[in-house]
Amino acid sequence: MSARGGRLRLMVAAFGDAGHAFPAISLGRALAERGHEVLIETWGRWREPVEELGLRFAAAEEYTVFPPPASDSGDATAAEAAKALLPFLEDWRPDALVSDILTVAPPLAAEAAGVRRATLIPHPYPVQQPGKPFFATGARPPRTPVGQGLWRAATPLLEIGLRRGRDELNEQRAAIGLAPVGRFHGGISEDLVLVATFPQLEYPRQWPAEVQVTGPMEFELPYPDVALPAGGAPLVLVAPSTAKDPECRLVRVALEALAGEPVRVVATTNRAQPEEPIDVPANAVLIEWLSYSQVMPLASLVICHGGHGTTVRALGSGVPVLCCPVAGDMAENAIRVAWAGAGLSLPWRLCRPAPLRWATRRILGDPLFSTRAGEFAAWRRENDGARRGAELVERFAAS
């Protein structure tokens, strides 16, 4: 236990995109509610909301992770960012550091400073299990031994990328004086890993002892309520990614697809600034931003790209999801929603009015989707991911 009378000093570091920063802020808030001193390190844009929660804030240096930048590029490397952070860690001496899975410099600095470190994963667990699909492929788990054998046969292809990632990580470790690691996924803690997703979105697997599925960790910027379309027709929320689709293709397609449908539509651009104006039909409203906590509980369907934060927020509100994945791990989230029976996945190449209209009709017309989503909401009411994560971090740091 810390020498500070049981009050722990804890640092939570995260990549700056909302899907990574918000779970970290949520965990930090839960740790502070348990009486601990918490510092959040992420991109500077989140300083104000973090400090409004009464947490300490440090702006993270933005750097290129993998592949490391060329020596003459002028871009900082993870090792250089870790060296810059090291004096602070040696002076402040946190009892533990929790780092987001995409954040490389803080765990390197923590290891060099002798600080215990845990990993926060704000989406399903990405480490592949033999015979199961590779993460982010958007594939369902095989149902036969033949299918499992095909994935096992493809494992050497996966390991080419994993080996490269390990080598590049070891280059950064060497630059800060740390010994190389032999395992894949060497940036993930071997002591405590918090997987901040619904257990219902995880395929059956053998779980390492250090991995704990906590449930989603939610945080939202406050925003005034918005006016919703009048009437009693089912409400459809179109909530695109905050980081992808700058020309708002999903919003445009959804508004066109649902223009003649017996639904009300609320669509948000999430402050994107497309070059071309967006046509808005009579049964819809288009706004630049909204509060999920206001609109999602009232919705019958959420249409999104499949970003993890939006997806689990909808499921936690008991609302089925139509995912149109465009990049990153969105395809993985989308297929897991479909696998769990709480929505459908519409590939980006099919993101056109007719397919989207068909998928919307199918979800709204089959109560089983709402029933499955309601099971997620029931689980969420009994389980708070951030509080569970805070309990685990507290136990880990104090042990």
Side-chain angles (χ1 to χ4, degrees):
M1 179 65 74
S2 168
R4 292 176 284 274
R7 186 171 188 246
L8 297 169
R9 182 174 284 175
L10 303 163
M11 180 173 174
V12 183
F15 187 65
D17 282 352
H20 291 262
F22 283 10
I25 295 171
S26 177
L27 176 62
R29 176 177 58 190
L31 287 165
E33 289 172 350
R34 296 178 69 84
H36 304 303
E37 182 181 0
V38 180
L39 181 144
I40 303 291
E41 188 208 50
T42 187
W43 293 356
R45 72 180 71 166
W46 307 120
R47 176 184 294 275
E48 184 175 347
V50 168
E51 292 182 342
E52 286 178 351
L53 293 173
L55 309 177
R56 291 188 59 178
F57 180 86
E61 182 175 350
E62 298 183 30
Y63 53 89
T64 301
V65 182
F66 302 122
S71 58
D72 58 353
S73 67
D75 295 333
T77 66
E80 289 167 344
K83 289 178 182 178
L85 180 61
L86 190 54
F88 171 78
L89 289 180
E90 291 174 336
D91 177 66
W92 196 55
R93 299 304 303 173
D95 295 288
L97 177 142
V98 183
S99 62
D100 171 78
I101 189 172
L102 292 186
T103 307
V104 177
L108 289 177
E111 186 175 350
V115 175
R116 304 192 74 192
R117 56 193 180 90
T119 300
L120 172 61
I121 300 177
H123 52 66
Y125 189 56
V127 179
Q128 195 258 352
Q129 180 164 314
K132 296 294 178 66
F134 305 158
F135 188 77
T137 58
R140 288 175 179 257
R143 291 177 291 180
T144 66
V146 173
Q148 295 173 11
L150 290 174
W151 283 111
R152 285 192 176 91
T155 299
L157 297 176
L158 173 67
E159 291 182 349
I160 292 173
L162 293 176
R163 195 170 292 108
R164 178 183 176 185
R166 181 186 61 190
D167 293 344
E168 290 172 346
L169 174 63
N170 281 334
E171 289 177 10
Q172 301 303 303
R173 292 179 61 85
I176 198 173
L178 296 174
V181 293
R183 62 188 177 97
F184 296 143
H185 303 286
I188 297 179
S189 171
E190 294 184 280
D191 299 316
L192 177 63
V193 180
L194 308 176
V195 181
T197 192
F198 283 112
Q200 297 91 332
L201 294 179
E202 289 287 358
Y203 296 146
R205 64 171 299 141
Q206 295 178 346
W207 287 100
E210 72 274 10
V211 178
Q212 299 288 331
V213 180
T214 63
M217 300 184 185
E218 298 178 0
F219 174 77
E220 183 178 49
L221 297 174
Y223 197 77
D225 286 355
V226 299
L228 304 178
L235 182 66
V236 177
L237 170 61
V238 184
S241 166
T242 57
K244 308 295 181 182
D245 198 10
E247 290 302 312
C248 299
R249 175 183 166 188
L250 177 60
V251 171
R252 297 175 195 275
V253 169
L255 291 176
E256 181 180 348
L258 303 180
E261 297 295 292
V263 297
R264 297 174 296 147
V265 182
V266 177
T268 174
T269 62
N270 278 334
R271 294 177 177 154
Q273 297 180 332
E275 294 184 1
E276 298 293 330
I278 300 173
D279 294 330
V280 183
N283 66 338
V285 295
L286 177 64
I287 51 183
E288 69 166 12
W289 195 263
L290 54 75
S291 167
Y292 284 169
S293 59
Q294 176 209 353
V295 181
M296 280 189 177
L298 305 175
S300 297
L301 172 65
V302 170
I303 299 174
C304 64
H305 283 104
H308 186 263
T310 302
T311 299
V312 296
R313 194 66 183 258
L315 296 174
S317 299
V319 183
V321 185
L322 172 56
C323 299
C324 303
V326 62
D329 64 351
M330 294 174 177
E332 188 69 32
N333 299 325
I335 200 63
R336 292 184 185 227
V337 168
W339 171 77
L344 295 174
S345 174
L346 183 67
W348 191 239
R349 68 181 183 277
L350 298 180
C351 186
R352 300 190 299 272
L356 192 144
R357 187 184 306 115
W358 171 85
T360 298
R361 289 175 177 175
R362 183 180 172 199
I363 293 175
L364 293 178
D366 187 344
L368 183 59
F369 290 106
S370 293
T371 299
R372 289 286 185 263
E375 293 170 358
F376 281 80
W379 189 92
R380 175 177 173 264
R381 286 192 292 271
E382 299 297 324
N383 300 273
D384 186 303
R387 290 181 182 174
R388 175 58 179 157
E391 292 171 358
L392 293 165
V393 171
E394 180 182 78
R395 187 183 311 158
F396 168 71
S399 62

